[in-house]
Amino acid sequence: MDAAEFRRRGKEMVDYVADYLENIEKRQVYPDVEPGYLRSLIPEEAPEEAENYEDVVKDIERVIMPGVTHWHSPYFYAYFPTAHSFPAMLADMLCGAIGCIGFSWAASPACTELETVMLDWLGKMLKLPQDFLAGTEGKGGGVIQGTASEATLIALLAARSKIVKLIQADHPEQSETDITSKLVAYSSDQAHSSVERAGLIGGVKMKKIPSDNKFSVRGDALRKVLEEDRAMGLIPFFFCATLGTTPSCAFDCITELGPICNAEKIWMHIDAAYAGSAFICPEFRPLLNGIEFADSFNFNPHKWLLVNFDCSAMWVKKRSDIIGAFKMDPLYLKHDHQESGLVTDYRHWQIPLGRRFRSLKMWFVFRMYGLKGLQAYIRKHVGLAKEFESLVRADQRFEISADVVLGLVCFRLKGSNELNETLLKRINSARKIHLVPCQLAGKFVLRFAVCARTTESRHVQEAWCHISHLASELLQELPH
Ligand SMILES: *Cc1c(COP(=O)(O)O)cnc(C)c1O
């Protein structure tokens, strides 16, 4: 394909994408295919000879689309949203064209510098404490990680390296292995599975702190476990708080937990993967109060801030903590500009070496929406969730299972778990909308997450009618 053909094919692809998105609600949100469906549709081996572009494009509808779950359909209410917008897609195209690998400042100065500034812009939108901003001579700063899982792992590894150095400064006779075997990290019992996984990868014990009846971890619960663990000779070093838990969008009480962590020299990381985007609205910003106690903070603009995957924003108060933990300097990666407020080598901030020019899509989105546009978008989704909540509340057969704070509604039929499992099964096999469940205090609960950018009130009303109709059918079948 030469530039002339690319020009033509590119325009065709833009048309295909625009058609796909304009008509997405006509497609069945969840596919009908069985596992292994795709293998039989394409050859066993890669082609020996080059094929026609037209033949490739024809196969999109034949091979790919039948097996796609349409996450951007307004009938998709599963998991949490994944962000999506036209400016972000265009920026990604440009990112592909530049195709740089921005592991150091010198490897592509624009890639590094735009990222530092975009993380400052975003940090200011969230009203993060000044300590987290890079500015031109800040000690903190932000970085784009691929996912929240990586951000948690990086924070845990940095905290591990910091505590080992701290202990060895006083007790040089203690080996790293001795110290590591006594380290213990904590999270809520509602935390995302990636937090437990960070503990496994980091090779440290990880304990779950019981949450209260609002699914929130309180100071007392943490304090109790810390006392027990210290008495057993363990070394608490890391606490991952969650703002907006995955099952029910609950908030750990960081105003209580933060001071405890600070006093006990425990690194506090905050995982706000989903909820973080909402903190750009003044009315939701109080949910982030206590951030001043954190050592690191992360959320995913790729969930709810219109920036396509992958874009997980992470800030640290002391960049030296993460750089100190992971710095490697082989000669072939060295350059003449020393690391400073102005020169950041992001390879020291992450696990891989390579990194894409992901800040471009933030820049496009922030400029094309403006803070006001982004706030309006968040508010619209929260409004739709509240609308769904009132529909559920108006129906005596149902109950709401957790406070509706942002764009997620947890609800269930009053009755057994089995009943609710059957209801969910029927909802998902009807294929009209798509939902996933969660477990809350032993109960099987349905999660309704407002996801697509184009979801409107009529979609929510339609979804509710459908659920309510399936519930009526189900309840009628039960013996009276
Ligand atoms: C979605 C989610 C994650 C995982 O996000 P990735 O970016 O896919 O790793 C982590 N924590 C919470 C609270 C989440 O909701």
Side-chain angles (χ1 to χ4, degrees), residues 80 146-149 192 194 242 244-246 271 273-274 300 302-303 312:
F80 270 141
T147 59
S149 314
H192 192 265
S194 57
T242 310
T245 59
T246 316
D271 171 11
Y274 164 70
N300 289 348
H302 74 225
K303 269 189 172 156
S312 187

Side-chain angles (χ1 to χ4, degrees), residues 69-106:
T69 301
H70 299 286
W71 281 64
H72 302 287
S73 160
Y75 297 112
F76 182 93
Y77 299 102
Y79 315 104
F80 270 141
T82 187
H84 190 263
S85 68
F86 292 118
M89 281 187 276
L90 289 175
D92 250 349
M93 211 170 146
L94 179 59
C95 168
I98 296 174
C100 65
I101 304 293
F103 48 75
S104 66
W105 180 84

Side-chain angles (χ1 to χ4, degrees), residues 187-192 207-212 215-217 247 252:
S187 74
S188 159
D189 59 10
Q190 301 292 305
H192 192 265
K207 292 196 179 178
K208 291 182 180 168
I209 309 290
S211 53
D212 68 5
F215 310 108
S216 158
V217 172
D252 288 343

